Amino acid sequence: MKLFDYLKLIWVNKKGRVGFLITIFFILLATVGPLVVPKPDVTTINPKMEFLPPQLNNPYYILGTGPIGDSILGDIVWGAPFILEVSFLAGLFTTLIGIAVGLTAGYLGGTIDTVLMSVNDIVMTMPSLILVLILATSIRSTNPFILAGILSISGWTGLARSIRSQMLLMKQMPYVEVSKVLGLGSGHIIFREVMPNLGSYIGIHFIFNVEGALYAAVGLYFLGVLPVNKFNWGILINNALASGAIYGTRAIWYLLFPSIAVVLFMTGLILFSYGIDEISNPRLRKVAA
Amino acid sequence: MLHETLIPFYECKNILVDAYFPARVEHIEERIFLIRDKLKTSYTGNIEHMPWDELINLFVESKKALERRDHWKSLTATEVLASMFYNPSFYISRREHEINLESIRRMYLLFYNRFLSVANDCAPKRVWGKLAYNNIEVYIDDEKSIIYTKLFKADGKFHAEVRKLLGIIQDT
């Protein structure tokens, strides 16, 4: 199926459409946003500008201000690239590791398969956030690639298992004779029929990993496990709570809007994955097409 | 002890199609496995060929059954939450069985489409081939057939028909 046809199917599905639009909005926020919204650098602190509520007459301060009079909108927009970069890289790493491990284990078999699947099963039973917390406190890096590597430590296991299972299925099926008679090679069957069938599932797996990495990245900064990074949604939430936002002080907006950004982005990704999952059903796909 | 008989086949271009067992399998989607490459030896048997059109209709019926088949289950909220907050692999590990079934379905459909496109454009020739069973494996044309042996072990109707055809009363 061509990409355009697939996008059409996502558009037809209500959940998929809403999720897709929200995801695109955040991608644009992270890529185009910093070009449009000025950086919220404050050189002179004006006490009158601290923790202002939303200023409807000034678009830059439409979401209010932070503890040093910085624009919350600016903080969110300038924090978006790092969060999205880490989340999408973690999703990508996880997917690539899953495919590589699954293909190696399934194709080579034997001892390599046993070792890889034992590691896979051990990692699969570990709750990812706890593992990530331990690694993040030990490494303490702000490099997005290293952070993404840490965040993708456990998410690859299910995908690896599934890819391995497909390879084993191909090995065990008595289809070789029939495919030879019909002039179809194993490569054709694996890469033109089996792998595309996995496409939607790999896509959903990728999105779930982006979600997991997003909330883990924000969570790690919120918990103060990682070195301070000026523009980060987790640090905004942490600062807001430190300023007593939860008790209904003027810092409430500083807590509310970054939290909404996190929740909205996650909701978008969830709806997007729900949509893709629904159109993975061959029957629904046929009806929609 | 070797039991053997001659069964009818149609030769269609370079494909040999079983003209006896397609109507005698329990799992109709596995009819596609009843095709093979040409025989080395030619014989003349007594068992009549099933009419070619009827045979093709059986393959079309199998293809349609595959097209209708759907293994998809809805994603539950628990699966979504566990995938997000516990381990992102949770989702795909729950879907694994369904993915396997869908892969098999796609592969079978590919075979049916390819076979039917060849079959619709050929003048079938009637031939006979030797079917043999040695109490362990099934042989076609004096060569061990992995497919016929698998069907013999896994498909009850096929198993009974082979035994009936070869005159085997009870398992030895």
Side-chain angles (χ1 to χ4, degrees), chain A residues 25-93:
Chain A
F25 168 75
F26 276 96
I27 290 172
L28 288 175
L29 190 79
T31 50
V32 183
L35 302 174
V36 180
V37 178
K39 204 171 186 176
D41 276 333
V42 178
T43 42
T44 324
I45 296 172
N46 178 359
K48 285 182 182 170
M49 289 296 286
E50 284 175 16
F51 291 128
L52 288 179
Q55 306 292 301
L56 299 177
N57 55 350
N58 187 340
Y60 188 53
Y61 295 111
I62 198 159
L63 301 181
T65 62
I68 52 169
D70 48 320
S71 158
I72 296 177
L73 174 70
D75 286 332
I76 291 173
V77 169
W78 281 82
F82 181 79
I83 287 291
L84 264 75
E85 200 179 346
V86 170
S87 311
F88 280 99
L89 274 176
L92 184 70
F93 288 171

Side-chain angles (χ1 to χ4, degrees), chain A residues 128 155 158 166 197 201 211 277, chain B residues 84 89 91 95 98 100 103:
Chain A
S128 53
Q166 296 293 301
N197 178 38
Y201 299 98
E211 277 169 32
D277 190 70
Chain B
M84 281 162 48
S89 282
Y91 163 76
R95 283 267 191 254
E98 171 196 319
N100 286 352
S103 291

Side-chain angles (χ1 to χ4, degrees), chain B residues 16 36-43 140-143:
Chain B
L16 201 73
R36 51 163 294 143
D37 52 356
K38 284 184 183 176
L39 299 168
K40 289 185 201 118
T41 327
S42 61
Y43 301 94
I140 298 283
D141 199 21
D142 294 325
E143 274 178 22

